[in-house]
Amino acid sequence: MSYVNLYKPPVAEETPIQLSNDDEPVDMNFCLPVPEQLSSERVKLVPFVTPTPTQPALHRSQLIEGVTDHPELYTYLPYGPFHPSDPSAFNLWYEQRIRSDPTTLLFAIIDTTLPSPASHPSQGGSFAGVIAYLLTSPTQLCTEIGHIVILPKWQRTFLTTNAVGLLLMHALEVPVEGKGGWGLRRVQWQANAENAPSASPEKINNNNKIQVPKAFSIMSDLSIFDTSIREPLDAEYVKSILSAPPFLQIPGLPNARSLPLPTSQTRGAILRSGETNHTTPAGATTLARQLGITKVFDLRSDKERAKFGEDKHLVVNVPEGLEMEVVCVPALPPNTSDDLRSTFGRFGSRGDEGFVEFYKEVLESGKEAFRKIFEFVRDEVGEGKGCLIHCTGGKDRTGVAAMLMLDLAGVPDDEIIKDYTLTRVGVEPMRELMGPRFKALLSPGQDADPALVAATLNAMSSRPSVMRATLDMLRKDYGGARGYLKDGLAFSEEDVDKIAENLSGGSKA
Protein backbone atom coordinates (compact mmCIF):
# COMPACT_ATOMS: atom_id res chain seq x y z
CA MET A 1 0.00 0.00 0.00
CA SER A 2 1.12 3.60 -0.56
CA TYR A 3 1.49 6.20 2.15
CA VAL A 4 2.25 9.87 2.65
CA ASN A 5 3.73 11.90 5.48
CA LEU A 6 1.73 15.10 6.03
CA TYR A 7 3.57 16.23 9.15
CA LYS A 8 4.24 19.98 9.35
CA PRO A 9 6.48 21.47 12.05
CA PRO A 10 4.65 23.79 14.45
CA VAL A 11 5.03 27.50 13.83
CA ALA A 12 7.45 28.98 16.36
CA GLU A 13 5.99 31.80 18.41
CA GLU A 14 8.14 34.54 19.87
CA THR A 15 8.06 34.43 23.65
CA PRO A 16 8.32 37.79 25.42
CA ILE A 17 11.02 38.16 28.05
CA GLN A 18 9.56 37.77 31.54
CA LEU A 19 11.69 39.59 34.10
CA SER A 20 10.65 38.63 37.64
CA ASN A 21 9.62 41.22 40.20
CA ASP A 22 11.87 41.49 43.24
CA ASP A 23 8.96 40.87 45.61
CA GLU A 24 7.89 37.67 43.81
CA PRO A 25 9.53 34.23 43.79
CA VAL A 26 11.27 33.39 40.54
CA ASP A 27 9.15 30.97 38.49
CA MET A 28 11.45 28.19 37.27
CA ASN A 29 8.56 26.73 35.20
CA PHE A 30 9.86 23.14 35.41
CA CYS A 31 7.80 19.93 35.22
CA LEU A 32 9.29 18.28 38.35
CA PRO A 33 10.12 19.54 41.88
CA VAL A 34 13.10 21.91 41.71
CA PRO A 35 15.86 21.18 44.26
CA GLU A 36 17.25 24.18 46.13
CA GLN A 37 20.72 22.79 45.55
CA LEU A 38 22.63 19.60 44.80
CA SER A 39 26.03 19.28 46.40
CA SER A 40 29.09 17.09 46.82
CA GLU A 41 32.24 17.78 48.84
CA ARG A 42 33.62 20.15 46.22
CA VAL A 43 30.78 21.15 43.91
CA LYS A 44 27.36 22.73 44.35
CA LEU A 45 24.60 23.08 41.75
CA VAL A 46 21.96 25.78 42.24
CA PRO A 47 19.14 26.74 39.85
CA PHE A 48 20.29 29.39 37.39
CA VAL A 49 18.26 32.37 38.58
CA THR A 50 16.23 34.49 36.17
CA PRO A 51 17.40 38.13 36.08
CA THR A 52 15.31 40.61 38.08
CA PRO A 53 14.91 44.37 37.60
CA THR A 54 17.39 45.31 40.31
CA GLN A 55 19.66 42.25 39.96
CA PRO A 56 19.86 41.79 36.19
CA ALA A 57 23.26 40.08 36.34
CA LEU A 58 23.44 37.42 39.07
CA HIS A 59 24.59 34.19 37.34
CA ARG A 60 24.29 35.71 33.86
CA SER A 61 27.11 38.21 34.28
CA GLN A 62 29.49 35.58 35.64
CA LEU A 63 28.76 33.25 32.73
CA ILE A 64 29.10 35.92 30.01
CA GLU A 65 32.29 37.36 31.52
CA GLY A 66 33.77 33.88 31.78
CA VAL A 67 33.18 33.00 28.11
CA THR A 68 33.85 36.39 26.51
CA ASP A 69 37.44 35.53 25.56
CA HIS A 70 36.64 31.89 24.83
CA PRO A 71 34.03 31.68 22.04
CA GLU A 72 35.31 28.16 21.30
CA LEU A 73 33.27 26.97 24.29
CA TYR A 74 30.20 27.25 22.05
CA THR A 75 31.70 25.42 19.06
CA TYR A 76 29.47 22.40 19.53
CA LEU A 77 26.38 24.25 20.78
CA PRO A 78 23.56 25.57 18.53
CA TYR A 79 23.63 29.03 20.16
CA GLY A 80 26.05 31.64 21.49
CA PRO A 81 28.60 32.88 22.18
CA PHE A 82 27.20 35.70 24.29
CA HIS A 83 28.93 39.03 24.91
CA PRO A 84 28.63 41.62 27.73
CA SER A 85 27.80 44.30 25.15
CA ASP A 86 24.52 42.56 24.25
CA PRO A 87 22.90 41.09 27.40
CA SER A 88 19.51 41.09 25.65
CA ALA A 89 20.70 38.25 23.42
CA PHE A 90 21.28 36.10 26.49
CA ASN A 91 17.95 37.14 28.02
CA LEU A 92 16.15 36.11 24.84
CA TRP A 93 17.96 32.76 24.72
CA TYR A 94 17.27 32.08 28.41
CA GLU A 95 13.58 32.92 28.15
CA GLN A 96 12.90 31.04 24.92
CA ARG A 97 15.20 28.03 25.29
CA ILE A 98 15.27 27.55 29.07
CA ARG A 99 12.55 29.15 31.18
CA SER A 100 9.71 28.82 28.65
CA ASP A 101 10.44 25.10 28.24
CA PRO A 102 8.99 23.14 31.22
CA THR A 103 11.22 20.16 30.36
CA THR A 104 14.46 22.15 30.88
CA LEU A 105 16.12 23.24 34.15
CA LEU A 106 19.46 25.11 34.05
CA PHE A 107 21.91 25.03 36.96
CA ALA A 108 24.85 27.23 37.87
CA ILE A 109 27.91 25.16 38.83
CA ILE A 110 29.72 26.45 41.91
CA ASP A 111 33.21 25.32 42.98
CA THR A 112 32.92 25.33 46.77
CA THR A 113 36.68 24.85 47.27
CA LEU A 114 37.29 28.46 46.15
CA PRO A 115 36.03 31.71 47.72
CA SER A 116 33.00 33.64 46.50
CA PRO A 117 33.67 36.72 44.36
CA ALA A 118 33.27 40.14 45.98
CA SER A 119 30.31 40.84 43.69
CA HIS A 120 28.43 37.80 45.03
CA PRO A 121 29.71 37.20 48.58
CA SER A 122 26.87 34.83 49.54
CA GLN A 123 27.33 32.53 46.56
CA GLY A 124 29.26 29.89 48.52
CA GLY A 125 32.11 29.50 46.04
CA SER A 126 33.29 30.43 42.55
CA PHE A 127 31.04 30.27 39.49
CA ALA A 128 32.46 27.59 37.16
CA GLY A 129 29.86 27.06 34.42
CA VAL A 130 26.37 25.77 33.70
CA ILE A 131 24.67 22.41 33.18
CA ALA A 132 21.04 21.41 32.66
CA TYR A 133 18.36 18.79 32.55
CA LEU A 134 16.45 18.89 29.27
CA LEU A 135 13.71 16.90 27.49
CA THR A 136 12.50 15.80 30.92
CA SER A 137 9.32 13.71 31.02
CA PRO A 138 7.61 12.88 34.35
CA THR A 139 5.29 10.39 32.61
CA GLN A 140 8.01 8.64 30.58
CA LEU A 141 10.46 8.78 33.52
CA CYS A 142 13.41 10.11 31.54
CA THR A 143 15.62 13.15 31.10
CA GLU A 144 18.77 14.26 29.32
CA ILE A 145 21.86 16.13 30.53
CA GLY A 146 23.01 18.99 28.32
CA HIS A 147 23.63 22.74 27.89
CA ILE A 148 27.05 22.10 29.45
CA VAL A 149 29.47 25.04 29.45
CA ILE A 150 32.52 24.67 31.71
CA LEU A 151 34.76 27.73 32.06
CA PRO A 152 38.39 27.10 30.95
CA LYS A 153 39.86 27.18 34.47
CA TRP A 154 37.83 24.09 35.44
CA GLN A 155 38.10 22.02 32.29
CA ARG A 156 39.64 18.55 32.74
CA THR A 157 39.27 18.80 36.51
CA PHE A 158 36.95 17.16 39.03
CA LEU A 159 34.20 19.69 38.28
CA THR A 160 32.40 18.19 35.28
CA THR A 161 32.38 14.68 36.70
CA ASN A 162 30.96 15.93 39.99
CA ALA A 163 28.31 18.06 38.27
CA VAL A 164 27.15 15.25 35.98
CA GLY A 165 27.22 12.80 38.88
CA LEU A 166 24.99 15.06 40.97
CA LEU A 167 22.43 15.30 38.16
CA LEU A 168 22.52 11.54 37.59
CA MET A 169 21.99 10.75 41.26
CA HIS A 170 19.13 13.22 41.68
CA ALA A 171 17.39 11.98 38.53
CA LEU A 172 17.67 8.27 39.40
CA GLU A 173 17.43 8.29 43.19
CA VAL A 174 14.07 7.06 44.50
CA PRO A 175 12.35 9.58 46.82
CA VAL A 176 11.30 8.44 50.29
CA GLU A 177 8.59 10.42 52.12
CA GLY A 178 8.96 13.23 49.61
CA LYS A 179 12.72 13.50 50.08
CA GLY A 180 15.41 12.42 47.64
CA GLY A 181 15.49 12.44 43.87
CA TRP A 182 12.93 11.95 41.14
CA GLY A 183 13.17 8.18 40.64
CA LEU A 184 13.44 8.36 36.84
CA ARG A 185 14.29 5.25 34.79
CA ARG A 186 16.58 6.68 32.13
CA VAL A 187 19.08 9.53 31.86
CA GLN A 188 20.69 10.31 28.52
CA TRP A 189 23.85 12.31 27.81
CA GLN A 190 24.77 12.94 24.21
CA ALA A 191 27.81 14.65 22.71
CA ASN A 192 28.69 15.95 19.27
CA ALA A 193 30.61 13.18 17.47
CA GLU A 194 33.35 15.67 16.59
CA ASN A 195 33.78 16.72 20.23
CA ALA A 196 36.27 13.95 21.06
CA PRO A 197 36.89 14.82 24.76
CA SER A 198 33.17 14.85 25.61
CA ALA A 199 32.36 11.77 23.52
CA SER A 200 35.06 9.70 25.23
CA PRO A 201 33.70 6.71 27.19
CA GLU A 202 36.27 7.50 29.86
CA LYS A 203 34.53 10.80 30.63
CA ILE A 204 33.30 9.24 33.85
CA ASN A 205 36.23 7.10 34.92
CA ASN A 206 36.66 4.30 37.41
CA ASN A 207 37.54 6.74 40.18
CA ASN A 208 34.17 8.45 39.88
CA LYS A 209 31.65 5.62 39.60
CA ILE A 210 28.01 6.41 40.12
CA GLN A 211 26.20 4.00 42.41
CA VAL A 212 22.88 2.82 40.95
CA PRO A 213 20.01 3.56 43.37
CA LYS A 214 18.82 0.60 45.42
CA ALA A 215 15.33 0.61 43.91
CA PHE A 216 16.75 -0.45 40.54
CA SER A 217 18.08 -3.71 41.97
CA ILE A 218 14.84 -4.20 43.90
CA MET A 219 12.75 -3.76 40.76
CA SER A 220 14.88 -6.23 38.80
CA ASP A 221 13.83 -9.04 41.16
CA LEU A 222 10.18 -9.84 40.46
CA SER A 223 9.98 -12.74 42.88
CA ILE A 224 8.66 -10.48 45.66
CA PHE A 225 5.46 -10.01 43.63
CA ASP A 226 4.60 -13.66 44.25
CA THR A 227 3.85 -12.74 47.89
CA SER A 228 0.28 -13.61 48.93
CA ILE A 229 -2.10 -10.72 49.55
CA ARG A 230 -2.53 -12.14 53.07
CA GLU A 231 1.12 -11.48 53.84
CA PRO A 232 2.15 -7.83 54.32
CA LEU A 233 5.13 -6.61 52.35
CA ASP A 234 8.02 -4.86 54.08
CA ALA A 235 6.82 -1.34 54.91
CA GLU A 236 10.07 0.38 53.92
CA TYR A 237 10.13 -1.47 50.61
CA VAL A 238 6.55 -0.46 49.84
CA LYS A 239 7.25 3.15 50.77
CA SER A 240 10.31 3.31 48.50
CA ILE A 241 8.42 1.89 45.53
CA LEU A 242 5.18 3.87 45.91
CA SER A 243 7.00 7.18 46.37
CA ALA A 244 8.81 6.87 43.03
CA PRO A 245 7.77 6.68 39.38
CA PRO A 246 5.95 5.05 37.75
CA PHE A 247 3.69 5.42 40.81
CA LEU A 248 1.98 8.78 41.25
CA GLN A 249 1.09 10.38 44.57
CA ILE A 250 -2.55 11.30 43.95
CA PRO A 251 -4.46 11.73 47.24
CA GLY A 252 -7.07 9.01 47.69
CA LEU A 253 -6.32 7.17 44.43
CA PRO A 254 -4.78 3.71 44.96
CA ASN A 255 -2.40 1.91 42.63
CA ALA A 256 -2.07 5.00 40.43
CA ARG A 257 0.80 4.96 37.96
CA SER A 258 1.82 5.81 34.41
CA LEU A 259 2.32 3.19 31.71
CA PRO A 260 5.91 2.50 30.60
CA LEU A 261 5.35 3.79 27.07
CA PRO A 262 8.10 5.16 24.81
CA THR A 263 9.11 8.78 25.37
CA SER A 264 6.93 11.49 23.84
CA GLN A 265 6.82 15.25 24.34
CA THR A 266 3.34 15.59 22.81
CA ARG A 267 1.32 12.53 23.91
CA GLY A 268 -1.15 13.01 26.74
CA ALA A 269 -0.63 11.04 29.94
CA ILE A 270 -2.06 7.50 30.04
CA LEU A 271 -2.57 6.34 33.62
CA ARG A 272 -3.94 3.25 35.36
CA SER A 273 -5.29 2.89 38.89
CA GLY A 274 -7.71 1.23 41.26
CA GLU A 275 -11.17 2.60 42.08
CA THR A 276 -11.48 6.38 42.25
CA ASN A 277 -14.28 6.75 44.80
CA HIS A 278 -11.90 7.78 47.62
CA THR A 279 -10.03 10.39 45.54
CA THR A 280 -9.87 13.72 47.38
CA PRO A 281 -10.52 17.16 45.83
CA ALA A 282 -6.74 17.66 45.82
CA GLY A 283 -6.39 14.37 43.95
CA ALA A 284 -8.96 15.42 41.34
CA THR A 285 -7.10 18.70 40.88
CA THR A 286 -3.82 16.85 40.38
CA LEU A 287 -5.38 14.62 37.74
CA ALA A 288 -6.95 17.48 35.80
CA ARG A 289 -4.42 20.28 36.17
CA GLN A 290 -1.01 18.70 36.67
CA LEU A 291 -1.53 15.52 34.64
CA GLY A 292 -3.95 16.79 31.99
CA ILE A 293 -6.51 14.00 32.43
CA THR A 294 -9.64 14.80 30.41
CA LYS A 295 -11.30 11.37 30.37
CA VAL A 296 -11.71 8.61 32.96
CA PHE A 297 -12.62 5.13 31.74
CA ASP A 298 -14.35 3.10 34.48
CA LEU A 299 -14.30 -0.62 33.61
CA ARG A 300 -16.46 -1.67 36.59
CA SER A 301 -20.05 -2.88 36.35
CA ASP A 302 -23.05 -0.74 37.30
CA LYS A 303 -23.56 -2.83 40.45
CA GLU A 304 -19.92 -2.37 41.47
CA ARG A 305 -20.21 1.40 41.11
CA ALA A 306 -23.47 1.45 43.09
CA LYS A 307 -21.99 -0.71 45.85
CA PHE A 308 -18.50 0.72 46.23
CA GLY A 309 -18.84 4.27 44.89
CA GLU A 310 -18.99 6.17 41.62
CA ASP A 311 -16.63 8.57 39.83
CA LYS A 312 -19.03 11.53 39.84
CA HIS A 313 -17.15 13.37 42.59
CA LEU A 314 -14.11 13.54 40.29
CA VAL A 315 -16.01 15.77 37.89
CA VAL A 316 -17.45 17.85 40.75
CA ASN A 317 -13.98 18.53 42.17
CA VAL A 318 -12.28 19.43 38.88
CA PRO A 319 -11.09 23.08 39.04
CA GLU A 320 -13.08 25.67 37.10
CA GLY A 321 -11.90 26.02 33.53
CA LEU A 322 -10.81 22.39 33.22
CA GLU A 323 -12.83 19.47 31.92
CA MET A 324 -12.97 15.80 32.87
CA GLU A 325 -15.48 13.27 31.58
CA VAL A 326 -16.18 9.89 33.16
CA VAL A 327 -17.04 7.10 30.71
CA CYS A 328 -18.57 3.98 32.27
CA VAL A 329 -17.63 1.03 30.07
CA PRO A 330 -18.03 -2.34 31.85
CA ALA A 331 -15.43 -4.84 30.66
CA LEU A 332 -17.28 -7.90 31.97
CA PRO A 333 -20.92 -9.01 31.88
CA PRO A 334 -22.78 -8.32 35.18
CA ASN A 335 -23.06 -11.97 36.19
CA THR A 336 -19.26 -12.24 36.08
CA SER A 337 -18.11 -9.05 37.78
CA ASP A 338 -20.83 -9.06 40.47
CA ASP A 339 -20.69 -12.70 41.57
CA LEU A 340 -17.36 -12.82 43.40
CA ARG A 341 -17.74 -16.41 44.59
CA SER A 342 -18.24 -17.60 41.05
CA THR A 343 -15.51 -15.37 39.68
CA PHE A 344 -12.84 -16.23 42.26
CA GLY A 345 -13.85 -19.87 42.49
CA ARG A 346 -12.86 -20.48 38.90
CA PHE A 347 -9.19 -19.83 39.70
CA GLY A 348 -8.96 -22.72 42.19
CA SER A 349 -5.74 -24.68 41.89
CA ARG A 350 -5.40 -24.06 38.17
CA GLY A 351 -2.39 -21.79 38.53
CA ASP A 352 -1.86 -19.44 35.58
CA GLU A 353 -4.43 -21.22 33.40
CA GLY A 354 -7.37 -19.73 35.30
CA PHE A 355 -6.03 -16.22 34.76
CA VAL A 356 -5.43 -16.72 31.05
CA GLU A 357 -8.99 -18.01 30.61
CA PHE A 358 -10.38 -15.09 32.63
CA TYR A 359 -8.35 -12.48 30.72
CA LYS A 360 -9.53 -13.96 27.42
CA GLU A 361 -13.09 -13.48 28.65
CA VAL A 362 -12.22 -9.84 29.41
CA LEU A 363 -10.91 -9.46 25.84
CA GLU A 364 -14.13 -10.89 24.42
CA SER A 365 -16.64 -9.21 26.76
CA GLY A 366 -14.79 -5.90 26.92
CA LYS A 367 -14.70 -5.14 23.19
CA GLU A 368 -17.04 -2.15 23.47
CA ALA A 369 -15.03 -0.79 26.40
CA PHE A 370 -11.68 -1.22 24.68
CA ARG A 371 -13.04 0.22 21.45
CA LYS A 372 -13.92 3.46 23.27
CA ILE A 373 -10.53 3.62 24.97
CA PHE A 374 -8.60 3.14 21.75
CA GLU A 375 -10.80 5.67 19.93
CA PHE A 376 -9.66 8.19 22.52
CA VAL A 377 -6.03 7.17 21.97
CA ARG A 378 -6.51 7.56 18.22
CA ASP A 379 -8.30 10.91 18.30
CA GLU A 380 -7.20 12.82 21.39
CA VAL A 381 -4.06 11.46 23.07
CA GLY A 382 -1.86 12.76 20.24
CA GLU A 383 -3.18 16.25 20.96
CA GLY A 384 -1.90 16.14 24.52
CA LYS A 385 -5.12 15.04 26.25
CA GLY A 386 -4.72 12.36 28.91
CA CYS A 387 -6.83 9.53 30.26
CA LEU A 388 -7.13 7.36 33.37
CA ILE A 389 -8.22 3.71 33.09
CA HIS A 390 -9.38 1.89 36.22
CA CYS A 391 -11.46 -0.93 37.64
CA THR A 392 -11.64 -1.92 41.33
CA GLY A 393 -8.09 -2.89 42.23
CA GLY A 394 -6.52 -1.80 38.95
CA LYS A 395 -5.13 -5.27 38.22
CA ASP A 396 -7.26 -7.49 35.95
CA ARG A 397 -9.51 -5.49 33.63
CA THR A 398 -7.18 -2.50 33.78
CA GLY A 399 -4.21 -4.83 33.34
CA VAL A 400 -5.67 -6.23 30.11
CA ALA A 401 -6.15 -2.69 28.74
CA ALA A 402 -2.58 -1.80 29.69
CA MET A 403 -1.24 -4.99 28.10
CA LEU A 404 -2.95 -4.16 24.79
CA MET A 405 -1.50 -0.64 24.74
CA LEU A 406 2.01 -1.70 25.64
CA ASP A 407 2.09 -4.59 23.18
CA LEU A 408 0.81 -2.35 20.39
CA ALA A 409 3.46 0.26 21.23
CA GLY A 410 6.22 -2.35 20.95
CA VAL A 411 7.18 -2.25 24.63
CA PRO A 412 9.40 -5.25 25.55
CA ASP A 413 7.66 -8.16 27.28
CA ASP A 414 9.73 -7.73 30.45
CA GLU A 415 8.38 -4.19 30.87
CA ILE A 416 4.78 -5.32 30.23
CA ILE A 417 5.18 -8.07 32.83
CA LYS A 418 6.71 -5.66 35.35
CA ASP A 419 3.86 -3.19 34.81
CA TYR A 420 1.36 -5.96 35.62
CA THR A 421 3.17 -7.26 38.71
CA LEU A 422 3.54 -3.78 40.24
CA THR A 423 -0.10 -4.04 41.31
CA ARG A 424 1.01 -6.26 44.20
CA VAL A 425 2.78 -3.25 45.68
CA GLY A 426 0.19 -0.77 44.44
CA VAL A 427 -2.67 -2.42 46.34
CA GLU A 428 -0.70 -2.87 49.58
CA PRO A 429 -2.21 0.29 51.13
CA MET A 430 -5.66 -1.19 50.31
CA ARG A 431 -5.14 -4.42 52.28
CA GLU A 432 -7.09 -3.10 55.28
CA LEU A 433 -9.93 -2.04 52.97
CA MET A 434 -9.90 -5.33 51.06
CA GLY A 435 -10.09 -7.39 54.25
CA PRO A 436 -13.69 -6.44 55.21
CA ARG A 437 -14.80 -6.32 51.58
CA PHE A 438 -13.71 -9.90 50.85
CA LYS A 439 -14.01 -11.24 54.40
CA ALA A 440 -16.60 -13.85 53.42
CA LEU A 441 -14.19 -15.29 50.90
CA LEU A 442 -10.88 -14.87 52.70
CA SER A 443 -11.99 -15.71 56.27
CA PRO A 444 -15.41 -17.36 56.07
CA GLY A 445 -15.23 -19.11 59.48
CA GLN A 446 -15.05 -22.72 60.59
CA ASP A 447 -17.26 -23.94 57.76
CA ALA A 448 -15.00 -22.32 55.19
CA ASP A 449 -14.26 -24.05 51.96
CA PRO A 450 -10.44 -24.20 51.90
CA ALA A 451 -10.49 -24.53 48.13
CA LEU A 452 -12.50 -21.28 47.77
CA VAL A 453 -10.15 -19.43 50.15
CA ALA A 454 -7.14 -20.63 48.16
CA ALA A 455 -8.84 -19.66 44.89
CA THR A 456 -9.60 -16.16 46.20
CA LEU A 457 -6.00 -15.63 47.28
CA ASN A 458 -4.82 -16.87 43.90
CA ALA A 459 -7.22 -14.50 42.12
CA MET A 460 -5.80 -11.53 44.03
CA SER A 461 -2.21 -12.30 43.07
CA SER A 462 -0.26 -10.67 40.22
CA ARG A 463 2.49 -13.15 39.45
CA PRO A 464 4.91 -12.44 36.57
CA SER A 465 4.17 -15.85 35.04
CA VAL A 466 0.49 -14.90 34.63
CA MET A 467 1.20 -11.98 32.32
CA ARG A 468 3.80 -13.96 30.41
CA ALA A 469 1.20 -16.68 29.72
CA THR A 470 -1.43 -14.05 28.84
CA LEU A 471 0.88 -12.45 26.28
CA ASP A 472 1.37 -15.87 24.72
CA MET A 473 -2.41 -16.29 24.50
CA LEU A 474 -2.85 -12.80 23.00
CA ARG A 475 -0.39 -13.54 20.21
CA LYS A 476 -1.51 -17.10 19.54
CA ASP A 477 -5.27 -16.45 19.52
CA TYR A 478 -5.45 -12.87 18.25
CA GLY A 479 -2.19 -12.12 16.49
CA GLY A 480 -1.11 -9.76 19.24
CA ALA A 481 -2.65 -6.38 20.13
CA ARG A 482 -2.55 -5.26 16.48
CA GLY A 483 -4.58 -8.28 15.39
CA TYR A 484 -7.05 -7.82 18.26
CA LEU A 485 -7.68 -4.17 17.35
CA LYS A 486 -8.20 -5.01 13.68
CA ASP A 487 -10.24 -8.21 13.93
CA GLY A 488 -11.73 -7.90 17.41
CA LEU A 489 -12.43 -4.17 17.61
CA ALA A 490 -12.93 -3.56 13.86
CA PHE A 491 -10.34 -0.77 13.53
CA SER A 492 -8.96 -0.21 10.05
CA GLU A 493 -5.27 -0.68 9.26
CA GLU A 494 -4.87 3.11 9.12
CA ASP A 495 -6.57 3.48 12.52
CA VAL A 496 -4.30 0.89 14.11
CA ASP A 497 -1.25 2.61 12.62
CA LYS A 498 -2.40 5.93 14.08
CA ILE A 499 -3.10 4.44 17.51
CA ALA A 500 0.28 2.69 17.54
CA GLU A 501 1.98 5.93 16.46
CA ASN A 502 0.33 7.90 19.27
CA LEU A 503 1.26 5.26 21.85
CA SER A 504 4.85 4.84 20.68
CA GLY A 505 5.65 8.54 20.83
CA GLY A 506 5.36 9.51 17.18
CA SER A 507 6.96 6.57 15.37
CA LYS A 508 5.06 3.57 14.07
CA ALA A 509 5.47 0.53 16.30
Side-chain angles (χ1 to χ4, degrees), residues 310-349:
E310 301 185 10
D311 293 329
K312 292 181 180 179
H313 64 286
L314 280 177
V315 179
V316 172
N317 290 320
V318 168
E320 186 176 352
L322 298 174
E323 296 183 0
M324 184 186 294
E325 178 187 2
V326 175
V327 182
C328 299
V329 280
L332 284 172
N335 62 328
T336 301
S337 57
D338 299 335
D339 184 359
L340 295 180
R341 283 184 176 273
S342 175
T343 299
F344 290 166
R346 65 196 295 178
F347 290 92
S349 59

Side-chain angles (χ1 to χ4, degrees), residues 15 26-32 34 50 94-95 98-105:
T15 305
V26 175
D27 179 13
M28 303 308 293
N29 188 39
F30 187 60
C31 59
L32 285 170
V34 177
T50 310
Y94 181 89
E95 179 61 26
I98 304 297
R99 203 197 68 83
S100 294
D101 182 357
T103 75
T104 298
L105 179 62

Side-chain angles (χ1 to χ4, degrees), residues 420-500:
Y420 173 76
T421 56
L422 277 174
T423 289
R424 177 62 189 87
V425 183
V427 300
E428 186 68 8
M430 298 175 63
R431 289 178 73 254
E432 293 185 4
L433 175 66
M434 292 168 67
R437 184 175 294 184
F438 301 113
K439 183 178 181 181
L441 298 177
L442 291 173
S443 305
Q446 293 181 348
D447 297 330
D449 179 356
L452 180 58
V453 173
T456 303
L457 292 173
N458 184 36
M460 291 182 174
S461 66
S462 54
R463 297 186 302 274
S465 58
V466 168
M467 181 49 64
R468 186 172 287 108
T470 304
L471 283 168
D472 290 342
M473 175 271 291
L474 177 69
R475 288 157 187 165
K476 178 182 177 182
D477 295 353
Y478 298 97
R482 177 172 284 272
Y484 176 76
L485 264 69
K486 288 173 57 180
D487 301 331
L489 304 186
F491 281 108
S492 68
E493 186 77 36
E494 291 75 16
D495 282 342
V496 177
D497 284 344
K498 180 62 176 177
I499 294 168

Side-chain angles (χ1 to χ4, degrees), residues 96-118:
Q96 292 186 337
R97 291 292 296 270
I98 304 297
R99 203 197 68 83
S100 294
D101 182 357
T103 75
T104 298
L105 179 62
L106 188 68
F107 290 89
I109 308 174
I110 309 298
D111 179 356
T112 58
T113 69
L114 297 177
S116 304

Side-chain angles (χ1 to χ4, degrees), residues 30 64 77 93 145 152 198 211 279 311 359 379 394 404 434 450 459 464 478:
F30 187 60
I64 295 179
L77 295 174
W93 170 82
I145 294 174
S198 290
Q211 183 178 359
T279 307
D311 293 329
Y359 291 161
D379 301 334
L404 290 171
M434 292 168 67
Y478 298 97

